[in-house]
Amino acid sequence: MTESEEKKQEEQEVGLYEKLASRTAELLGSGKKTFDEALKKAKDEILGTGDISRGQADKLASFLRRDFSSLNQSAQKTKDALKKAVDPKRVTAGAQSLFVQILRSAAGKLEEVADKSEKNLEYKTGEVTSPGTLSCKECGAEMNLTSTVRIPPCPKCHKTVFRKSY
């Protein structure tokens, strides 16, 4: 057999393999046949055209069966990996972990805002302030101021830092 004839035969086998694979897929897609049934029917149809011998058809069918088996195994591994990845327990744990991180981050930011706000409400002896209530940050004693005054030390503990409220 010449190189040209070998190439032509190879192209023919590749084309017939593709026809066999395509027809098998169509028959499987109809949902009425198992893989083995679809492959047998597709092989019989190709044999009916007279373009191929039974030996060649059997050889191509064995190649297709091998490829299908390999594809099926790969699909099963992918399915198992996907099931593991989207396991509700894992997804729930992941979501809870993310939620905790968000809450901790938000709590930290809120604490910063609270600290800044607390600093804005902090008044010291010697400062001038408008009417309101000053609570000593050390002992909690309250001074009710009815007019604008310079802040005196705490009458109870003599400390000098207060929190203002109205």
Side-chain angles (χ1 to χ4, degrees), residues 54-70:
R54 179 160 299 280
Q56 288 175 307
D58 289 342
K59 184 170 111 178
L60 293 177
S62 72
F63 293 159
L64 186 58
R65 185 180 311 286
R66 175 204 60 202
D67 294 348
F68 181 79
S69 176
S70 176

Side-chain angles (χ1 to χ4, degrees), residues 15-103:
L16 290 170
Y17 174 92
E18 289 175 346
K19 275 185 181 178
L20 182 65
S22 178
R23 183 61 181 141
T24 302
E26 285 176 21
L27 292 167
L28 277 173
S30 71
K32 298 176 185 172
K33 300 205 177 289
T34 67
F35 175 76
D36 289 331
E37 292 169 337
L39 180 59
K40 182 181 181 324
K41 181 163 178 53
K43 186 172 82 169
D44 290 344
E45 288 176 6
I46 288 178
L47 278 170
T49 65
D51 295 336
I52 190 170
S53 70
R54 179 160 299 280
Q56 288 175 307
D58 289 342
K59 184 170 111 178
L60 293 177
S62 72
F63 293 159
L64 186 58
R65 185 180 311 286
R66 175 204 60 202
D67 294 348
F68 181 79
S69 176
S70 176
L71 181 63
N72 191 35
Q73 287 173 0
S74 178
Q76 186 61 44
K77 286 179 185 175
T78 302
K79 177 183 168 188
D80 293 344
L82 186 60
K83 279 174 75 175
K84 183 178 178 186
V86 295
D87 177 25
K89 291 176 186 168
R90 284 184 65 162
V91 171
T92 300
Q96 285 175 331
S97 176
L98 180 61
F99 190 59
V100 166
Q101 289 175 349
I102 290 169
L103 288 176

Side-chain angles (χ1 to χ4, degrees), residues 94-161:
Q96 285 175 331
S97 176
L98 180 61
F99 190 59
V100 166
Q101 289 175 349
I102 290 169
L103 288 176
R104 283 195 175 134
S105 176
K109 295 296 180 192
L110 287 172
E111 191 168 336
E112 287 177 25
V113 169
D115 289 346
K116 286 179 183 176
S117 295
E118 185 68 31
K119 281 285 185 199
N120 289 335
L121 295 174
E122 194 173 89
Y123 291 76
K124 296 180 179 152
T125 295
E127 295 176 347
V128 176
T129 188
S130 59
T133 302
L134 292 176
S135 301
C136 177
K137 288 189 88 173
E138 185 67 31
C139 71
E142 290 186 353
M143 290 190 295
N144 291 312
L145 307 174
T146 56
S147 62
T148 301
V149 296
R150 184 171 301 276
I151 302 170
C154 175
K156 186 174 176 186
C157 71
H158 307 290
K159 297 292 181 176
T160 60
V161 182

